[in-house]
Amino acid sequence: MTRTGSPRLLREINDRAAIETLLRSGAMTRAELEEVIGLSKPATAQLLARLEEDGMVVRTGLRGGGRGPRAQMWAVNGGVGHVAAVALTPELIDVAIADITGSLLAEHSAPMPKDNTLRAFRETVQKAAVLAGLRLDALSHVVVGTPGAVDPATGHLGFAPHLPGLVDVDLPSTLRELLGTSVSIENDINLAALEEMSSGKAVGVRNFVLFWPADEIGSAVVVNGVLLRGVTGGAGEIDSMQIPGGRYGDQVDNEAIMALAATHGIAASSGVEAVAHALSTGERAFLSDLARRIALGLANVVCVLDPELVLLSGSVAQAGGETLCDLVAAELLELVVPRTPVQLAQITANPVRSGALHSALAVAREQVFGLPQRS
Amino acid sequence: MTRTGSPRLLREINDRAAIETLLRSGAMTRAELEEVIGLSKPATAQLLARLEEDGMVVRTGLRGGGRGPRAQMWAVNGGVGHVAAVALTPELIDVAIADITGSLLAEHSAPMPKDNTLRAFRETVQKAAVLAGLRLDALSHVVVGTPGAVDPATGHLGFAPHLPGLVDVDLPSTLRELLGTSVSIENDINLAALEEMSSGKAVGVRNFVLFWPADEIGSAVVVNGVLLRGVTGGAGEIDSMQIPGGRYGDQVDNEAIMALAATHGIAASSGVEAVAHALSTGERAFLSDLARRIALGLANVVCVLDPELVLLSGSVAQAGGETLCDLVAAELLELVVPRTPVQLAQITANPVRSGALHSALAVAREQVFGLPQRS
DNA sequence: CCCTCGGACAGGACAGTTTCCATTCGATGA
DNA sequence: TCATCGAATGGAAACTGTCCTGTCCGAGGG
């Protein structure tokens, strides 16, 4: 039940601390590592020697400049593990390969075919691996970011995935066999939230909600620094939330936004276009109405979670910019007691794939080093 | 940043494991303790001798019955710390005193006065302490359970507290000075959830929602085994949630339930009475309507959190019993994708004070033993 | 009377700390 | 320009702290 408590445990604790430090801060000298992990000189030296013996760390040159001899620099050996991150959309299969330190080794993408989806998936990942000089079985872990969510009980992809050939199967098992590696599947919005948390607006924020109005609406919930997935993988799937006027999804999805725009005399072929048009022409009434609708649903989320921050992301939010964001914040203030700040998400360049990469790194590091996940 | 990693750390780890085990399982012999914490016989003997020296553990008699010599029984010394749990309602100040092992030492309650609330509070707690043979400053920690929630930023009690004399002050600081001890204030529904989690229907459930329709409605949210409080202390305050028909609170509070009952020809002086009456006369239509209203709000909570379980508690839910519970579950199934089970809460005897006691014990144990965890 | 179990002691293994020494190389001053 | 100093690196030996294995003794029950 409880930990063993033998001296061996100390080794593990210190080894993990050292590798974690080297991963977080990059290459450093033995003296710097001492400082961070709090071990003495001989202990740190032995630790590094042992990890080098095991191939876990490598020497990466000498540091010059200061007084005294040039200090040996140490870094985690990237070769001990590799990961793949895949962003799946109805249009594209987008793959990135990195080593365990997080260095990007290769990128490759291919259009999503009409059929033979699985085969195309495998070939695209394999091509990316080859570009990185790897075989598929060299991948420690693969994270696939996709619309919809996987129910852990069944492995089926639920919540309107729009991905032909990937429904009604146990997707994690299927992909695991297809690639011959450990695979996990994560909701795309969740991954975007992960990315905001590690290098966007939500750095250091332990409780926030990322709201994503696009073709489909959805959200990601982070509680105590951990992504909330839900028992059936459906946490944050607020499309079916009931607000005054009916289902939330029916009021802020693409069609609803276009319809709302039409009532304000704005003709547009998509919600994004309508918002962009309204913004450029200074049509505030439409944006206010839209903001009120968005805020109605957000208010319910804020009631339940009382988060530190609400982030708006996705194409519609980005089109609306700070203007829409401020309008939503003002409407939200009228509806709920907490004065939750609303901000635009920061990451715009492929947040899903970046988040998948972070997620894959966390899993692979746990596999290879036994590290519990950290950001 | 990272832990020191010296051999001394092992001591701490093992000491904590031993005390945690003794707290969880009660008195035991050295051999039994060995088994649980995984130390050898001499190490465990030394550990106990050292803890006895420090006054942390005591010998509690000998175990007989088996072969061989009678083994010494060891237990945590309850005298190293004491806690108080207070349940505050508009009617009553209800205090319990326990030692750090959780043994109840004294109970005492007094009616809530119209004014001089703070003085009455202090005197009631002090009386309880005296009954337990203690002075106020012997209390390691006091947890006060109350309607409403404390905003950590201001210390003010928000969300309709109904407690005269306790609003518009920095309540934690005020009470801390009043008692001269460490005090924390916790929402009553949150404490009820804590109690369900430690000895009710939610044992082992890491993600659930406790819904509490009574005079006021509210809920508690547990995520990853941790109570979610929210930045302003307002997590779970779903009273102001917007559902079709308006504010959730206006549709399922006491008055709304009576009004709804009236439309079904049921005259009652309270919501509880209306529900009880409907149940005894087999008036299903009213209960169905009520269940639908309740489920509408719950559906939104389930959308956001996708919990493993929804518990219904509070007087109205208890009056409705399994019948109402099943009706709510059925309605919920129509509204959301996840098939979240809905159950009646189990703890009916003063769940708030019991939860406060657990909470206070957790804090005091961390103070006294440095234990990071909750049992 | 013997077997079993609790308690205690001794020797050894493992991990890390302290202390000391040799080496290197920029900085300082003659 | 060159010698010297001092700071920083790398390594080795001796010591401390913690726990484990093995052994022994004595007290009870069967």
Side-chain angles (χ1 to χ4, degrees), chain B residues 7 11 14 38 40 42-43 66 69:
Chain B
R11 266 279 156 88
N14 290 329
S40 68

Side-chain angles (χ1 to χ4, degrees), chain A residues 2, chain B residues 3 9-24 33 37 47 50-51 365-366 369-373:
Chain A
T2 324
Chain B
R3 292 296 167 87
L9 179 63
L10 272 190
R11 266 279 156 88
E12 275 184 42
I13 291 176
N14 290 329
D15 283 7
R16 288 180 194 177
I19 286 183
E20 198 177 327
T21 304
L22 287 175
L23 282 172
R24 184 170 45 231
L33 189 60
I37 64 178
L47 184 153
R50 188 161 23 81
L51 290 181
R365 286 170 182 174
E366 184 168 350
F369 303 122
L371 293 177
Q373 256 193 348

Side-chain angles (χ1 to χ4, degrees), chain A residues 201-263:
Chain A
K201 281 276 183 62
V203 172
V205 180
R206 295 186 58 77
N207 296 277
F208 72 98
V209 172
L210 181 85
F211 178 66
W212 187 287
D215 304 344
E216 292 288 315
I217 68 165
S219 66
V221 177
V222 172
V223 172
N224 286 328
V226 178
L227 206 49
L228 180 65
R229 293 185 174 83
V231 213
T232 69
E237 292 289 347
I238 55 179
D239 197 75
S240 63
M241 179 179 274
Q242 299 289 329
I243 62 172
R247 280 179 78 248
Y248 191 33
D250 294 341
Q251 295 187 52
V252 290
D253 67 2
N254 206 29
E255 287 184 28
I257 295 177
M258 284 194 291
L260 182 65
T263 68

Side-chain angles (χ1 to χ4, degrees), chain B residues 144 294 348:
Chain B
V144 180
I294 291 176
T348 53

Side-chain angles (χ1 to χ4, degrees), chain A:
Chain A
M1 160 151 287
T2 324
R3 293 295 166 88
T4 149
S6 66
R8 178 166 300 166
L9 178 63
L10 275 189
R11 268 278 154 91
E12 274 183 43
I13 291 176
N14 290 329
D15 284 6
R16 287 181 194 178
I19 287 185
E20 196 178 328
T21 304
L22 286 175
L23 282 173
R24 184 171 44 234
S25 309
M28 56 175 63
T29 69
R30 195 219 55 227
E32 291 164 348
L33 188 60
E34 273 172 37
E35 189 73 18
V36 179
I37 65 179
L39 283 187
S40 67
K41 194 164 57 165
T44 313
Q46 272 187 21
L47 183 152
L48 284 171
R50 189 162 23 80
L51 290 181
E52 185 186 27
E53 181 90 5
D54 296 348
M56 292 296 173
V57 301
V58 289
R59 300 166 187 251
T60 57
L62 302 174
R63 185 187 62 182
R67 278 187 183 176
R70 294 180 179 150
Q72 179 65 50
M73 302 291 288
W74 299 85
V76 172
N77 179 8
V80 296
H82 298 86
V83 298
V86 187
L88 274 190
T89 62
E91 295 83 34
L92 200 66
I93 304 171
D94 186 6
V95 186
I97 307 276
D99 69 18
I100 204 145
T101 68
S103 299
L104 196 62
L105 299 182
E107 295 178 282
H108 179 59
S109 62
M112 174 72 81
K114 291 296 177 196
D115 39 36
N116 269 333
T117 314
L118 288 175
R119 189 174 158 189
F121 174 81
R122 184 180 197 280
E123 284 174 358
T124 312
V125 175
Q126 188 158 34
K127 180 76 184 297
V130 168
L131 285 174
L134 300 172
R135 284 174 23 179
L136 269 186
D137 56 14
L139 295 176
S140 302
H141 191 65
V142 177
V143 168
V144 180
T146 163
V150 165
D151 184 335
T154 65
H156 285 198
L157 195 59
F159 300 98
H162 297 310
L163 294 175
L166 299 181
V167 291
D168 294 333
V169 293
D170 184 338
L171 201 51
S173 301
T174 306
L175 296 188
R176 194 173 307 126
E177 286 176 21
L178 193 68
L179 298 183
T181 63
S182 144
V183 176
S184 60
I185 296 159
E186 186 68 79
N187 174 266
D188 52 355
I189 304 179
N190 281 357
L191 292 174
L194 220 52
E195 192 59 21
E196 286 292 331
M197 190 163 43
S198 70
S199 60
K201 281 276 183 62
V203 172
V205 180
R206 295 186 58 77
N207 296 277
F208 72 98
V209 172
L210 181 85
F211 178 66
W212 187 287
D215 304 344
E216 292 288 315
I217 68 165
S219 66
V221 177
V222 172
V223 172
N224 286 328
V226 178
L227 206 49
L228 180 65
R229 293 185 174 83
V231 213
T232 69
E237 292 289 347
I238 55 179
D239 197 75
S240 63
M241 179 179 274
Q242 299 289 329
I243 62 172
R247 280 179 78 248
Y248 191 33
D250 294 341
Q251 295 187 52
V252 290
D253 67 2
N254 206 29
E255 287 184 28
I257 295 177
M258 284 194 291
L260 182 65
T263 68
H264 285 85
I266 302 175
S269 62
S270 76
V272 174
E273 196 178 304
V275 170
H277 181 267
L279 205 61
S280 64
T281 61
E283 169 66 59
R284 295 297 290 261
F286 162 60
L287 289 178
S288 289
D289 280 3
L290 179 60
R292 185 170 305 119
R293 286 194 184 181
I294 291 176
L296 263 180
L298 279 185
N300 290 354
V301 178
V302 169
C303 276
V304 175
L305 297 170
D306 189 12
E308 296 169 50
L309 175 67
V310 170
L311 287 178
L312 302 184
S313 187
S315 52
V316 173
Q318 277 167 27
E322 296 289 345
T323 308
L324 182 63
C325 191
D326 292 347
L327 286 171
V328 171
E331 293 287 345
L332 189 60
L333 210 54
E334 310 248 315
L335 291 167
V336 295
V337 178
R339 304 176 58 179
T340 313
V342 179
Q343 293 180 17
L344 269 186
Q346 192 172 38
I347 313 287
T348 52
N350 212 340
V352 175
R353 205 190 67 184
S354 306
L357 195 57
H358 273 102
S359 175
L361 283 173
V363 174
R365 286 169 181 174
E366 185 167 352
Q367 281 178 9
V368 175
F369 304 122
L371 293 177
Q373 67 222 26
R374 262 192 66 124
S375 53

Side-chain angles (χ1 to χ4, degrees), chain B residues 298-318:
Chain B
L298 279 185
N300 290 354
V301 178
V302 169
C303 276
V304 175
L305 297 170
D306 189 11
E308 295 169 52
L309 175 67
V310 170
L311 287 178
L312 301 183
S313 187
S315 51
V316 173
Q318 277 167 29

